[in-house]
Amino acid sequence: MSNSSNNPANATNIIQRVASDSWFIFTVLVSFSGSLLLVLLLLTSFRRRELRSGARVLIIHLMVMQLLICSVLSPVQTIATYETLLAHHIRLDCPPLQLLQIGTMYAENWASTLLAVNRYVAVVIPHHYQRMLTKQVLTLMITLPWLMGIGITAPLLFGIGGRFVWAPEAGICYPRSTGGPYGTVLVAVGAYTPLVLIGVCYMTLFVRIGVGRRSNMIRSVWTTSGGVANVRTRKARRRQISMTNMLVVMFLWHCLCFLPSPILSTTFPQVFTGNFMLQLWVTKTLVICGYAVSPVIFLAISLDYQRGAYKILRRFFVWCPDPFKVST
């Protein structure tokens, strides 16, 4: 009788353990794979001059942010949550960890916003683009996202609008509002405002390209000296368009990964809050996928990254076939 009465409990425990292990293994693999690919792309960027000059410096900055999230900040929280699910009592020092994690995520949002502005100027009003490539402007576009991300998150360290707390039953750190509008302002400025600005920027960009496609192609492809194709101009423009397409796809992927959490929590609050594993998959795993898949998008779209990454991998895997040996 005792064995039969314990069977349902044992089956429940086994199911919970399998669910916990599956979530942990998949999330760690995503973080690890994304980190490796980001390191590969960073090495590629530093080895190839065309990938570390001009606006590509801003992409390097973006990849450094994503690497910090994938390799350090996300795994720390994932391991803490998994240990709690296994009934191992641990505790994280939440305030500095959350300041760095939330501040970096918000900084990454604003860095993506400035990259969208950079792409708009490069494609739509290229005669002003060189002004955005000066050392002063690039330095500002690198430091401003950190000032925004850390600056709007730091007040929570002092209990202004909320505070960072540790939930021992879930093994997570999170910001808890202490009343007032600051919590709403924090999320709006750090997450939703950059998202809207990026969307508006890219939508306007492609509308302008569609409306003026014919005249823009003629002006960019043909020079005034007899209508001879300007190969250098065409090549530079193709790279500008390729970089823009790459960043647009990354933006759309980020929306798919980051928006389900607020949508589910507001549309189906009882279902979402009542299923802890669902919360973990949506708020942790899906979010880390938003960062970890970015290098896959870069490699899939950009021929420059493909060639640079291949040359690095060729040094370790000499048996790899060369997909670029046939010149076109």
Side-chain angles (χ1 to χ4, degrees), residues 8-59:
N10 291 336
T12 301
N13 291 335
I14 293 174
I15 293 174
Q16 291 176 347
R17 181 59 186 266
V18 170
S20 302
D21 291 348
S22 301
W23 167 78
F24 176 73
I25 293 172
F26 181 84
T27 305
V28 169
L29 285 177
V30 169
S31 298
F32 181 72
S33 302
S35 300
L36 286 181
L37 289 176
L38 285 167
V39 169
L40 175 63
L41 290 188
L42 286 171
L43 291 175
T44 300
S45 300
F46 290 127
R47 287 173 58 89
R48 294 176 65 93
R49 185 178 181 277
E50 66 271 19
L51 294 179
R52 64 174 188 271
S53 60
R56 299 282 185 169
V57 173
L58 302 179
I59 295 183

Side-chain angles (χ1 to χ4, degrees), residues 6-313:
N6 288 334
N7 284 336
N10 291 336
T12 301
N13 291 335
I14 293 174
I15 293 174
Q16 291 176 347
R17 181 59 186 266
V18 170
S20 302
D21 291 348
S22 301
W23 167 78
F24 176 73
I25 293 172
F26 181 84
T27 305
V28 169
L29 285 177
V30 169
S31 298
F32 181 72
S33 302
S35 300
L36 286 181
L37 289 176
L38 285 167
V39 169
L40 175 63
L41 290 188
L42 286 171
L43 291 175
T44 300
S45 300
F46 290 127
R47 287 173 58 89
R48 294 176 65 93
R49 185 178 181 277
E50 66 271 19
L51 294 179
R52 64 174 188 271
S53 60
R56 299 282 185 169
V57 173
L58 302 179
I59 295 183
I60 292 176
H61 175 231
L62 193 69
M63 288 192 291
V64 169
M65 290 176 161
Q66 294 172 346
L67 179 60
L68 177 61
I69 294 172
C70 289
S71 62
V72 179
L73 300 176
S74 175
V76 168
Q77 292 263 31
T78 300
I79 293 172
T81 302
Y82 180 67
E83 288 294 317
T84 302
L85 291 174
L86 299 182
H88 300 161
H89 300 289
I90 63 173
R91 184 181 182 88
L92 296 177
D93 190 6
C94 288
L97 178 62
Q98 283 284 276
L99 174 64
L100 186 58
Q101 181 170 17
I102 297 177
T104 302
M105 294 173 68
Y106 287 169
E108 198 268 354
N109 292 339
W110 281 104
S112 298
T113 304
L114 295 180
L115 257 174
V117 174
N118 180 281
R119 292 298 84 210
Y120 180 88
V121 176
V123 176
V124 178
I125 45 178
H127 49 284
H128 291 300
Y129 184 56
Q130 288 302 318
R131 300 179 184 178
M132 301 194 68
L133 298 181
T134 62
K135 184 177 180 180
Q136 294 80 2
V137 173
L138 290 176
T139 301
L140 179 64
M141 296 180 77
I142 290 175
T143 56
L144 186 59
W146 287 105
L147 293 176
M148 289 291 295
I150 300 296
I152 63 176
T153 310
L156 274 68
L157 285 176
F158 309 101
I160 300 176
R163 57 192 180 91
F164 300 118
V165 298
W166 168 256
E169 70 283 356
I172 59 173
C173 294
Y174 70 99
R176 174 187 291 172
S177 175
T178 56
Y182 189 77
T184 303
V185 173
L186 174 67
V187 177
V189 175
Y192 296 126
T193 300
L195 194 69
V196 172
L197 291 176
I198 296 173
V200 170
C201 193
Y202 285 139
M203 287 178 60
T204 306
L205 170 63
F206 282 103
V207 168
R208 289 289 301 272
I209 290 177
V211 171
R213 185 178 182 84
R214 182 180 181 85
S215 60
N216 286 343
M217 287 178 62
I218 294 174
R219 285 198 298 267
S220 63
V221 173
W222 298 95
T223 66
T224 57
S225 59
V228 179
N230 188 330
V231 178
R232 180 176 297 179
T233 302
R234 292 168 61 187
K235 186 176 181 180
R237 185 167 180 81
R238 282 198 300 267
R239 281 182 172 173
Q240 297 287 9
I241 297 296
S242 175
M243 188 190 305
T244 302
N245 292 337
M246 182 177 67
L247 294 173
V248 169
V249 174
M250 187 182 73
F251 165 70
L252 295 176
W253 174 253
H254 278 198
C255 290
L256 290 175
C257 293
F258 300 148
L259 290 181
S261 177
I263 292 175
L264 288 175
S265 62
T266 55
T267 307
F268 307 102
Q270 293 182 345
V271 175
F272 189 69
T273 58
N275 191 326
F276 184 61
M277 289 306 302
L278 176 63
Q279 295 180 50
L280 291 181
W281 280 100
V282 174
T283 63
K284 291 186 177 293
T285 307
L286 194 57
V287 168
I288 197 62
C289 285
Y291 301 108
V293 177
S294 292
V296 178
I297 295 173
F298 290 171
L299 285 170
I301 296 178
S302 173
L303 191 61
D304 291 331
Y305 283 118
Q306 293 173 18
R307 287 172 172 166
Y310 168 77
K311 288 184 178 180
I312 292 178
L313 293 176

